[in-house]
Structures are given as structure tokens and as C-alpha cells.
Amino acid sequence: MTKRPDTLFLNGELVPYENATVHTLSPAVKYGALIFEGIRAYWNESQEDLYIFRAEEHLDRLFESAKIARITIPYTKQELLDSLLRLIISNNQKQDLHIRINAYVDTDNGAMDSTEPISVSMATLPMGRYDTKDTGLDVCISSWARISEAAMPPRIKSAANYHNSRLALLQAKTDGYDDAILLDGNGKLTEGPGYNVFLIRAGRVYTPAVTNGILEGITRATLLTLFSEQLGMHVQERDIDRTELYIAEEAFFCGSGKEIKSIASVDRLQLGDGNVGEITTRIREAYMDVVRGANPKYQKWLLPVYN
Ligand code: PMP
């Protein structure tokens, strides 16, 4: 369950959670003029520290989203990082967190092309451990196509992009599935509504390329490294057909929030024996060790909050 923190960061100050409001006529609400990041932090019990996972990379992506969306963030990356640490410490949070950073056009009744003022908020939400009993998801191929670089670039994390994700997810749930995978206009795999996708076929690992209409996931990038360095497997990034997914032995979603979640079936076609596959299990264990600080080789990806 997500519990509310006492305070969050809003425009340079730590304010009570309830005070972080936005006008109903702001461009952020009216036009989805908002870009954001979602970051995880993991509490390590034995080291008594909280580790923010790949904070630098998430902030880099925030500034890339801002550039493309023509939003000027009125802080430096270092100022945001310092404020984030201050926020967590002031809330005395010693548990797993999901961190949400928003930057948005925040003026009442602003015009469609208004670009100021920009508000920035950061919230550090307690997030429980993901269920370790992973039975795999039953997913469908959505009849909604993924948004494209030609119209709404999926490369950026903008709130407006999630309208496409919501349509796919709501349709999937209505039709009795757990989740959805979207294809691009050419019928090639892109990603899930809020996570990237990998598949394993004949012992080889595949994922759509960054030019296949996806968000350039930081978990995805992490797994490319871990597959190579920890499992000795090379991941092929290329166009993937829908039917390649149907005949895969294993597939999984990955993302900061989702972590690594196995896919049991696609369009009611079972993958492998329907259980969590061996390679999915191994990469998931490698990933969870890294994010929680149990693998010293990847300490460079962790920003310690307390020590
Ligand atoms: N794709 C989409 C559409 C997402 O919203 C997310 C979650 N941010 C991801 C992929 C995974 O990205 P990351 O691993 O950086 O969380």
C-alpha cells in the first residue's frame, strides 16, 4: 500500500503533502503540459541505508524530456538531487520508496503555448515490496497502436503520453487480461503501458530497439548490462514481430515500478510451460540484488541517502 509522506518538495520548499495542489485550468491539466520521472529507492536492512537507484540517469532523462517538451526546469540537476535527499531525510523515511518528480506549466487558465511558470514537485511515496510469488501475467496485444515519434514521441516521459497507455490498459482489463503490449503502426512490438518488454526464444534474448517507439527505460538499460556481465548473454535489440512473442519460451516486463514481471501468456497463448522461466528468474535475482545493494560491483548505480 502506498502511504502518504508528511511532506513533499514543491517549488523549492518542503510543504505538507495536502498543500501540493494545482489549478484545474492550468496547462498541466488542460493540455497535459507535464513531464516527470519515476524512481525507486530501496532500503538495505543490514547496511542501514536507503539507496536511490540510478538517480543521475533518471534526472538526465527528466532534462531530456523537458528539452523536447520545451519546458525549462528552474533548477540544476544537482539542486534537485540535494533537495531530494533533504526531503527523504526530513521525512525520516527508512523503507522502500517510489519517487515521483513532476515539472509542469502551472498558471491558471494558461494558453496552449504557455511555457511558464514551471512548477516542480518531488514526492517520496512509501512502496511495499513487490509480491515475490510471481505467477506471470496474462497479457493481450492491444488493438490500440503505440503513439509514435511522428506525433507524440514515446521517448519522453510526458503525462500526455499516458493517455495512449491508459486506453490500452483499460481495454485489456475490461477484456479480462492483466496487461497489454502495444504494437507500432507497422505491427512491430513496442512496450507495455508503463514498462519495456523482453523475450527469450531458443535461448536468445531480444528486446525492441530504442527506435521502435519506446521509452528508453533505465531498467531496460540496466538489464542490457546485467545480461551481458552477470549472465553472459547478449541481448539483441531489433524489430520484433507479434508472432515471435507468441512462440517465445519466456517474456517479461521491466520498469522501475514494475521491477521484473514475468508474462505467462499472450492473447491466451501460453509461453513455455506457463511458469516463470529460468532466464527470467536469473535476471530478476541479479536485478533485485543490484538495486538493494547486495552486489558491490554495481554500487556506482546507488545513491546512499543516510551514509
Ligand atoms: N516504458 C514506459 C512507457 C514507462 O512508463 C516506463 C516507466 N517509467 C518504462 C518503459 C520503464 O522505464 P524505467 O525502467 O526507466 O522505469
Side-chain angles (χ1 to χ4, degrees):
M1 281 294 287
T2 303
K3 223 176 99 270
R4 292 170 174 193
D6 294 336
T7 58
L8 44 71
F9 172 97
L10 181 64
N11 294 334
E13 290 175 28
L14 304 191
V15 303
Y17 183 91
E18 297 71 28
N19 292 11
T21 55
V22 62
H23 199 281
T24 190
L25 296 178
S26 69
V29 174
K30 286 200 297 182
Y31 309 114
L34 182 152
I35 52 113
F36 70 100
E37 268 305 316
I39 313 174
R40 280 257 199 180
Y42 290 89
W43 175 248
N44 184 309
E45 192 63 51
S46 61
Q47 296 167 26
E48 291 189 20
D49 209 344
L50 182 69
Y51 295 121
I52 307 177
F53 189 61
R54 305 198 77 169
E56 294 264 346
E57 290 86 344
H58 278 282
L59 283 172
D60 285 344
R61 190 172 64 186
L62 182 77
F63 280 88
E64 289 168 4
S65 294
K67 180 177 187 185
I68 295 170
R70 299 181 192 273
I71 283 175
T72 305
I73 297 175
Y75 303 97
T76 64
K77 187 171 135 184
Q78 194 56 49
E79 284 169 342
L80 289 180
L81 276 176
D82 291 345
S83 298
L84 177 58
L85 294 176
R86 193 159 59 89
L87 173 64
I88 297 173
I89 291 167
S90 91
N91 278 323
N92 193 29
Q93 289 171 305
K94 298 185 171 178
Q95 69 219 103
D96 293 354
L97 299 176
H98 191 264
I99 299 159
R100 169 88 183 202
I101 308 179
N102 287 340
Y104 50 102
V105 186
D106 189 14
T107 175
D108 74 287
N109 206 16
M112 193 190 298
D113 61 349
S114 53
T115 53
E116 57 185 15
I118 300 299
S119 283
V120 175
S121 70
M122 293 194 277
T124 55
L125 303 161
M127 180 176 262
R129 289 186 184 171
Y130 237 67
D131 188 359
T132 47
K133 187 173 142 285
D134 187 345
T135 49
L137 301 171
D138 295 315
V139 311
C140 64
I141 299 294
S142 182
S143 60
W144 293 105
R146 184 77 176 125
I147 49 172
S148 79
E149 175 81 4
M152 290 186 72
R155 173 167 288 104
I156 70 177
K157 273 184 93 68
S158 84
N161 282 358
Y162 289 81
H163 178 53
N164 177 239
S165 298
R166 276 174 57 81
L167 289 175
L169 188 56
L170 289 169
Q171 179 198 32
K173 295 264 176 80
T174 302
D175 293 347
Y177 296 95
D178 298 317
D179 221 312
I181 293 174
L182 294 102
L183 305 179
D184 67 15
N186 296 319
K188 304 298 179 191
L189 254 60
T190 64
E191 59 187 336
Y195 5 92
N196 294 114
V197 64
F198 282 68
L199 64 88
I200 293 114
R201 217 189 126 197
R204 305 183 80 149
V205 193
Y206 303 87
T207 194
V210 294
T211 47
N212 277 123
I214 63 169
L215 181 81
E216 297 181 16
I218 288 160
T219 316
R220 175 188 178 281
T222 301
L223 297 191
L224 293 183
T225 302
L226 295 183
F227 263 116
S228 162
E229 294 182 1
Q230 299 297 108
L231 270 63
M233 299 176 86
H234 171 71
V235 180
Q236 288 192 45
E237 302 169 74
R238 64 155 171 81
D239 285 359
I240 299 175
D241 288 333
R242 169 186 198 147
T243 48
E244 289 186 281
L245 183 60
Y246 284 170
I247 56 179
E249 295 116 44
E250 300 180 34
F252 60 83
F253 284 132
C254 70
S256 303
K258 199 85 163 169
E259 299 172 329
I260 293 171
K261 185 73 183 168
S262 172
I263 295 171
S265 71
V266 180
D267 291 344
R268 305 285 177 219
L269 296 169
Q270 182 179 293
L271 304 192
D273 64 6
N275 294 312
V276 183
E278 188 214 320
I279 294 171
T280 304
T281 303
R282 284 172 61 207
I283 194 70
R284 183 183 177 181
E285 284 171 4
Y287 178 77
M288 295 313 297
D289 277 354
V290 167
V291 294
R292 208 170 280 287
N295 188 337
K297 181 170 179 195
Y298 301 99
Q299 199 72 29
K300 60 185 178 203
W301 285 340
L302 311 180
L303 176 63
V305 174
Y306 291 100
N307 294 317

